[in-house]
Amino acid sequence: LHVTEDGTRIFFADRSANKIRMHNTTSNMVTTVAGSGARSTMDGPATSATFYFPIYISLNEQRNMLYISQMGSSSSDDSKVRRLNLNSFVVESLAGDGTQANLDGPGSSAQIGQSFGITHLPSNASHIFLAQPTIGRLRGIVEFPDTPIVIASNAPSTTPSTVPSTSPVSGSSASPTTASPT
């Protein structure tokens, strides 16, 4: 669920219908903005694109982009993060190869497990985050204009005395650092 800053539109994922909908608070009308209703994962024009249990969304008003986390299932290849461009009304897969697992890497080869939320940094439109509490991770998607999208995740702490403070982006030579709590 995401309400626009001016409060005139409310976007939400209709999981059971496999559609993304918008409620116009001025006209009190609900319309489908994306999804044909078929349960699968197909990119393309918003009206013919398909979703597999879209569950969480985040609207980036700065870029006019709606990010969608799909649940997928253990027997399907549909666990992905998708985006809907609200200027062109085109849906495309942003990250995940469809496998419900947790593997970092370039966008289409990364694997996305079950997510329980999606958001972005308002100050930095190219950083999107997924909450994955079942594996104790917050995973990040970084959109670069001309390079592959990369998934990075914070590794769960191995002992209570260390807290991960940063995590490298896959392919980076940087290593994670830890800090002791005070």
Side-chain angles (χ1 to χ4, degrees), residues 35-56:
S36 69
R39 186 183 303 159
S40 65
T41 300
M42 184 175 72
D43 293 343
T47 55
S48 59
T50 61
F51 294 93
Y52 195 102
F53 291 129
I55 190 163
Y56 297 104

Side-chain angles (χ1 to χ4, degrees), residues 72-109:
S73 76
S74 58
S75 62
S76 72
D77 290 329
D78 298 294
S79 191
K80 294 184 176 190
V81 173
R82 318 274 298 287
R83 68 179 166 200
L84 167 61
N85 184 316
L86 294 171
N87 293 321
S88 65
F89 285 93
V90 171
V91 174
E92 61 184 329
S93 296
L94 179 66
D97 69 356
T99 306
Q100 194 170 73
N102 297 291
L103 179 66
D104 296 341
S108 62
S109 62

Side-chain angles (χ1 to χ4, degrees), residues 1 4 13 25 27 30-32 41-42 47 62 66-67 70 74 77 79 86 90 96 108 110 117 129 132 140 169 176:
L1 178 73
T4 57
T25 59
S27 67
V30 174
T31 57
T32 299
T41 300
M42 184 175 72
T47 55
Q62 182 181 0
L66 190 66
Y67 297 99
Q70 284 189 175
S74 58
D77 290 329
S79 191
L86 294 171
V90 171
S108 62
F129 294 94
Q132 294 185 295
V169 173

